[in-house]
Every structure is written in structure tokens, then in C-alpha cells.
Amino acid sequence: MKRIIIALITMVLTVPMSAQYNRYPGRPVGNTHTSYRPHRNATYYGLRLGAAISTVNSDDKQLDGGSAQTGLNVGAVLGYQLVPSSPVYLETGLFYTEKGGKGVHNSKNFTYNLNYLEVPLLLKYEIDTNSPVSIVPFMGGYLACGVGGQIKDYGDRKAFSSFDDNTFKRFDGGLRIGCGIQYDIIYAEAAYEFGLANICDDAFDTSHNRCFYLNCGVNF
């Protein structure tokens, strides 16, 4: 997993410096005096790298991670234009995301990591600004499966799996809303996720993920 993440980071950082690519058919790169709308190709793919700033809201005081924790968010996306005459795109992909939270229970600090493989499904609309930059608001949902993580109890100096019995369920899902900015192949976005699935393994309690993303990357 570490080798994959390092490879993706290297690609995201080096491709914009070396690629000679015109995202707008019929327009020279860097030409701002044009009547062409800045649509992507009908199909595009991209790489993303960024930060996931997350909390876990729970009515179980032992699991309530209301203080934010920052983790890695890295992945790849694939998008398709739904209607040729309209800049509306359907985008999906696969991400490795590190979520979690921090809290205090009985005067003892604890942190936990909830690491997921996540699949988003988003509708995006690319807004023409009559410049090389376009604005891309989006909304949709996501599904995720927990693949690892630890709960650390600093008071008792104990650590155990986040997805053991009586802790968290592996399945998660919810809504995502956000906005991106596109310049040629370079792309950046901010998004917020509302977890709707109850990830608490206890039938009498509820826990939900909340996560704010800041990502950058490239689209081809």
C-alpha cells in the first residue's frame, strides 16, 4: 500500500510539469481570447491527492471522536459526460481514505483511525467563466469499506483494531457535496461528507463519520 501511495504522489506532482496537453479541443493552450467553452473531453480520468479532516460523532462517550483528526486521501477517478450538449458529468473512482477522531473519556485521551477504501458517485457541472479556469460544483454519495485502523487508549496504554467486535462496523455510506476548480489538466477541490450509515457495532448506540476534504490532482 505504501508503494502505491508513493507512486500516486509522484505522478500527481510531476505530470502537470511535464505534460503538454490541451484539454479544450480547437483551442491553443494558454489562449484566453476564445469563444470555446472549457468542457473536458467526453470521458476523462484523473489522479487525486489530499487531506481528510474527519470526526466521528457518537452517542457512546467511549467512541465519540468529536475532535478532528487529519489523514491521507489518495485515489483515481473516471468521469463521463452525460449529454454532449451540456457540461454535466458523472464521476466515480476508488480512494484510500484515513478517517477517525480524537476524544476524552474518564479524563483519558483516546484516538482512533478508520481507514477505508471508498467509491464516490458524483454529478458534476462545469461552469464556464470565459477564462482558462472553470468552476465545478458537485454532489452525490459514497460507499466505503473499512480496511484497517487502530484505537489507542492513552490512559491505559492499550491499542486494538478499530473494526473488532463492539467497536465499528466496516461498512459506511453517505452524501458528499463540494466544489472544484479546473485549469487545463490541473484540478483542485474541497468537499464535505455526511455519513448516513451507523458505523457503531453496538445496537443501542449510533456513530457517524463526518469528513472535510482538500484535494489536488490532474485530469486527462
Side-chain angles (χ1 to χ4, degrees), residues 119-178:
V119 177
L121 187 63
L122 306 171
L123 281 177
K124 294 193 166 186
Y125 184 86
E126 189 167 9
I127 300 173
D128 184 5
T129 63
N130 294 317
S131 75
V133 176
S134 56
I135 308 300
V136 190
F138 58 86
M139 65 181 300
Y142 74 93
L143 294 174
C145 179
V147 294
Q150 281 192 333
I151 298 176
K152 296 181 179 179
D153 184 340
Y154 290 94
D156 295 332
R157 301 190 63 80
K158 294 181 179 179
F160 48 95
S161 172
S162 297
F163 297 106
D164 277 345
D165 293 340
N166 301 319
T167 52
F168 296 104
K169 299 175 182 177
R170 291 185 182 273
F171 173 79
D172 186 29
L175 302 176
R176 180 186 291 190
I177 186 171

Side-chain angles (χ1 to χ4, degrees), residues 76-137:
V77 300
L78 174 66
Y80 178 76
Q81 189 174 7
L82 294 179
V83 181
S85 60
S86 178
V88 178
Y89 295 84
L90 181 67
E91 183 180 286
T92 187
L94 180 64
F95 285 81
Y96 170 75
T97 303
E98 296 176 345
K99 299 182 181 179
K102 302 177 182 179
V104 179
H105 180 64
N106 291 335
S107 301
K108 298 177 181 179
N109 295 327
F110 66 86
T111 65
Y112 50 80
N113 301 317
L114 303 174
N115 303 331
Y116 292 95
L117 287 180
E118 186 169 310
V119 177
L121 187 63
L122 306 171
L123 281 177
K124 294 193 166 186
Y125 184 86
E126 189 167 9
I127 300 173
D128 184 5
T129 63
N130 294 317
S131 75
V133 176
S134 56
I135 308 300
V136 190

Side-chain angles (χ1 to χ4, degrees), residues 15-37:
V15 168
M17 300 174 60
S18 60
Q20 298 297 322
Y21 176 80
N22 187 359
R23 189 168 62 93
Y24 314 136
R27 177 168 67 173
V29 175
N31 181 11
T32 60
H33 303 288
T34 179
S35 60
Y36 286 100
R37 291 177 59 82

